[in-house]
Amino acid sequence: MPLAARISDLFSKIYTHCYAARHGIKIGHGCRIRRGATLRVRGGSITLGDRVHIHPGAMLLSYGGHIKVGERTSINPYSVLYGQGGLTIGRCVRIAAHCVIVPANHGMARDKTIHEQPETKKGITIGDDVWLGTGVRVLDGTVIETGAVIAAGAVARGNLKGYGIYGGVPAKLIRERD
């Protein structure tokens, strides 16, 4: 490996460890939190498994809940992951750019403004070997089973079975992985 690449890798390791320590984030071996990513623990926790990669512009915000990310998962630029009701992401998951994952929702009764509505916090679980395409939205209470692929721009809700390929708003099963 060229000297410049080794120096860059060393800087990345140091930055990741300092950032995690400063913000109370638990990290596994070989994690990379790139400059420009935002991870904030506010009344909850963020835990990253081994070799997790958080790209610049990504945001992980616990908001009183937990965010747990399994090993070898990547979270690409400008994706936003909240933790209010609990967010668990498996191993080897690919989260493309501009995805939004929100484990909470507002009530919508007519007698109160949206701001005054109570929140539901069912949580979200994403299994191993899942791919969320660019711009996917994952709503509170969703379970995405192992091996599922969610097409770009889809809105995932409910239970999406393993090794299915889903697309649309709301996401529907298109076919199964071979």
Side-chain angles (χ1 to χ4, degrees):
M1 181 185 312
L3 179 60
R6 288 196 314 258
I7 291 170
S8 177
D9 187 54
L10 178 61
F11 176 76
S12 178
K13 288 177 187 177
I14 292 168
Y15 178 83
T16 296
H17 283 275
C18 290
Y19 190 96
R22 181 173 183 226
H23 294 285
I25 300 158
K26 298 174 190 141
I27 61 169
H29 178 73
C31 282
R32 292 294 183 272
I33 300 170
R34 299 294 180 185
R35 288 179 63 124
T38 302
L39 289 77
R40 294 290 183 268
V41 175
R42 293 195 174 114
S45 65
I46 297 176
T47 304
L48 307 177
D50 294 344
R51 296 189 309 269
V52 169
H53 195 143
I54 311 295
H55 290 269
M59 298 178 75
L60 283 71
L61 309 167
S62 67
Y63 288 139
H66 74 270
I67 299 173
K68 184 175 181 183
V69 181
E71 67 184 52
R72 295 187 305 164
T73 290
S74 66
I75 301 169
N76 282 283
Y78 309 107
S79 288
V80 179
L81 287 64
Y82 294 130
Q84 294 101 315
L87 172 57
T88 302
I89 299 170
R91 298 170 50 250
C92 302
V93 173
R94 296 294 174 255
I95 299 174
H98 297 277
C99 289
V100 179
I101 304 173
V102 185
N105 199 1
H106 291 281
M108 292 180 267
R110 292 178 64 158
D111 63 337
K112 294 181 182 179
T113 64
I114 294 296
H115 174 74
E116 298 171 314
Q117 298 288 332
E119 283 188 335
T120 59
K121 298 177 184 179
K122 298 175 185 174
I124 293 172
T125 302
I126 299 172
D128 299 336
D129 186 32
V130 168
W131 177 19
L132 302 181
T134 300
V136 165
R137 287 5 184 188
V138 182
L139 304 180
D140 190 29
T142 299
V143 175
I144 301 174
E145 295 179 4
T146 295
V149 174
I150 316 301
V155 176
R157 64 182 186 139
N159 192 339
L160 283 63
K161 73 178 195 169
Y163 299 98
I165 299 173
Y166 292 83
V169 178
K172 301 282 187 206
L173 182 64
I174 298 170
R175 66 183 178 92
E176 294 191 16
R177 286 175 63 183
D178 296 332

